């Protein structure tokens, strides 16, 4: 489908239905060139860690170059050597691509999804354009381009099957999963454990010392936000990920900081309720849910045996909670 329709008047961009056959063909050439460059960037980005996927994108870049060559030959036959300088961003109702610098920072699966979307957008655009054309020759040209993109999509599927079948695909998927664990799950889990457990003592000590829900909430809020900022900066600063392979320090710091803050806020928010005992009862239920969520994440993603994870987390949380209550009630 046409993915974006933007107003043409203020920006000075043309509408597709105002383009001549020469401009349409020049636009197709420019689009194939850009897509080929995008696939080449993907391949270069993945070559070290995911060589099989890099081979897929190398093949797709080659297909785009072949399409460009065929389009250019047809353009020369019909209109000569000078190709009109028109690109996607010159046409208001033409599909747009994400900036390569933005997409290439994403993971392997996201790059594969982006490539599939590129092929669908190009194919659907030419189908829609052919349907709007009233000129028989232009309709035939656009139909040929639509079939070419459909064939390219099939070729992309063949490339994936050739290069990512069996052990290569399994190895790359395992590597991508491991990177997800190192970059997001481990820092997030550490943050959730720190936020959920370490804030128990100050929050419940304040609660039982003052029996004032608002004061308890303020202490819990400050402890949670402060711990989140501290954990986030610590995670981001202590390891740049280059030697450890743990990924972007910014992503790890974000995961750790946000989960730390959420872990503490979970049992601080109930103290917005004016009734002390009602708020405390709800907070204790939230603590129970938080601890079991930690156990589930450890078992699901870190492959920690459920019984051992439950013993460690629940026992540690119970001790910290008891310490806070005893100190606050003293």
């Amino acid at each position: 489908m046409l993915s974006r329709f933007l107003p043409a008047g203020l920006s000075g961009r043309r509408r597709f239905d105002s383009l001549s056959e020469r401009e349409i063909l020049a636009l197709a050439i420019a689009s194939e060139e850009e897509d080929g460059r995008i696939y080449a960037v993907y391949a270069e980005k993945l070559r070290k860690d995911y060589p099989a996927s890099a081979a897929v994108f190398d093949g797709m870049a080659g297909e785009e170059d072949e399409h460009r060559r065929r389009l250019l030959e047809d353009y020369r036959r019909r209109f000569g050597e000078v190709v009109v300088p028109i690109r996607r961003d010159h046409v208001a109702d033409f599909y747009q691509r994400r900036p390569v610098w933005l997409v290439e920072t994403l993971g392997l699966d996201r790059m594969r999804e982006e490539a599939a979307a590129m092929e669908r957008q190009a194919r659907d655009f030419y189908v829609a354009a052919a349907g709007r054309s009233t000129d028989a020759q232009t309709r035939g040209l656009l139909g040929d381009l639509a079939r070419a993109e459909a064939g390219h999509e099939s070729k992309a599927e063949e490339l994936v099957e050739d290069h990512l079948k069996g052990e290569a695909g399994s190895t790359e998927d395992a590597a991508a999963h491991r990177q997800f664990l190192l970059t997001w799950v481990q820092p997030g889990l550490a943050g959730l454990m720190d936020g959920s457990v370490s804030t128990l003592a100050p929050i419940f000590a304040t609660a039982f010392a003052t029996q004032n829900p608002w004061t308890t909430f303020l202490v819990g809020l400050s402890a949670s936000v402060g711990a989140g900022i501290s954990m986030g900066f610590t995670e981001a600063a202590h390891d740049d990920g280059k030697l450890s392979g743990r990924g972007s320090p910014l992503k790890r710091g974000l995961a750790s900081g946000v989960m730390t803050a959420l872990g503490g806020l979970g049992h601080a928010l109930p103290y917005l309720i004016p009734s002390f005992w009602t708020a405390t009862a709800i907070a204790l239920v939230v603590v129970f849910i938080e601890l079991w969520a930690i156990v589930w994440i450890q078992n699901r993603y870190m492959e920690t045996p459920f019984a051992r994870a439950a013993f460690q987390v629940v026992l540690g949380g119970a001790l910290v909670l008891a310490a806070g209550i005893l100190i606050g009630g003293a």
Side-chain angles (χ1 to χ4, degrees):
M1 292 181 62
L2 299 181
S3 58
R4 295 177 185 172
F5 294 88
L6 301 176
L10 296 178
S11 63
R13 290 184 294 174
R14 302 273 299 279
R15 290 290 186 187
F16 180 80
D17 57 12
S18 72
L19 300 180
S20 66
E21 295 178 26
R22 182 183 186 186
E23 290 169 329
I24 290 172
L25 192 53
L27 181 61
I29 292 170
S31 299
E32 296 289 355
E33 288 177 346
E34 183 179 355
D35 287 354
R37 288 194 297 269
I38 290 174
Y39 290 142
V41 169
Y42 288 177
E44 185 64 25
K45 177 72 175 179
L46 298 172
R47 201 172 309 282
K48 179 180 178 181
D49 297 324
Y50 306 105
S53 287
V56 170
F57 287 118
D58 281 333
M60 294 176 70
E63 287 292 308
E64 294 290 348
D65 187 62
E66 175 62 18
H67 291 170
R68 179 199 60 79
R69 185 190 63 78
R70 292 170 55 193
L71 288 165
L72 189 57
E73 286 181 355
D74 192 58
Y75 184 97
R76 286 170 175 162
R77 178 183 60 82
R78 297 181 60 187
F79 304 113
E81 292 293 329
V82 179
V83 179
V84 178
I86 185 170
R87 301 189 305 272
R88 289 189 181 106
D89 53 355
H90 295 157
V91 183
D93 46 354
F94 202 76
Y95 59 89
Q96 303 295 315
R97 296 290 188 231
R98 295 178 184 271
V100 172
W101 59 264
L102 176 63
V103 178
E104 70 172 346
T105 62
L106 302 178
L108 172 61
D109 288 340
R110 186 66 185 86
M111 286 187 184
R112 293 175 185 171
E113 293 172 4
E114 191 70 17
M118 288 169 62
E119 297 307 315
R120 288 193 299 270
Q121 286 176 341
R123 180 200 62 199
D124 293 346
F125 172 80
Y126 288 127
V127 169
R132 292 203 308 268
S133 176
T134 58
D135 181 87
Q137 190 170 359
T138 300
R139 183 187 294 270
L141 174 60
L142 295 174
D144 289 343
L145 295 175
R147 285 188 291 274
E149 291 298 336
H152 193 181
E153 187 174 15
S154 299
K155 179 62 177 177
E157 293 175 355
E158 293 173 7
L159 288 170
V160 171
E161 183 177 351
D162 289 343
H163 292 284
L164 295 179
K165 62 184 178 181
E167 185 177 350
S170 299
T171 300
E172 291 193 359
D173 288 341
H177 179 68
R178 178 178 180 275
Q179 192 63 58
F180 171 73
L181 293 179
L182 291 175
T183 303
W184 294 105
V185 177
Q186 278 190 352
L189 178 61
L192 182 61
M193 293 178 67
D194 184 83
S196 298
V197 176
S198 68
T199 58
L200 288 176
I203 291 176
F204 283 96
T206 303
F208 281 87
T210 65
Q211 296 197 6
N212 185 314
W214 180 246
T215 300
T216 303
F217 169 73
L218 292 179
V219 171
L221 178 64
S222 62
S224 301
V225 173
I229 294 173
S230 175
M231 283 288 289
F233 273 101
T234 300
E235 178 62 41
H238 89 279
D239 178 10
D240 63 8
K242 294 180 180 178
L243 295 179
S244 65
R246 298 181 65 219
S248 166
L250 179 61
K251 293 178 181 179
R252 298 194 331 267
L254 181 65
S256 180
V258 169
M259 294 305 293
T260 300
L262 290 178
L265 287 173
H267 45 266
L269 289 175
Y271 284 98
L272 288 171
I273 300 172
S275 171
F276 170 74
W277 289 110
T278 301
T280 300
I282 295 175
L284 290 172
V285 172
V286 172
V287 169
F288 178 83
I289 295 173
E290 289 173 345
L291 296 180
W292 281 104
I294 293 171
V295 172
W296 181 84
I297 293 173
Q298 284 189 324
N299 178 255
R300 172 66 175 80
Y301 291 101
M302 311 309 296
E303 300 183 359
T304 304
F306 188 86
R308 188 174 76 185
F311 177 77
Q312 293 173 341
V313 173
V314 174
L315 177 61
L319 291 175
V320 175
L321 175 62
I325 294 175
L326 290 174
I327 293 172

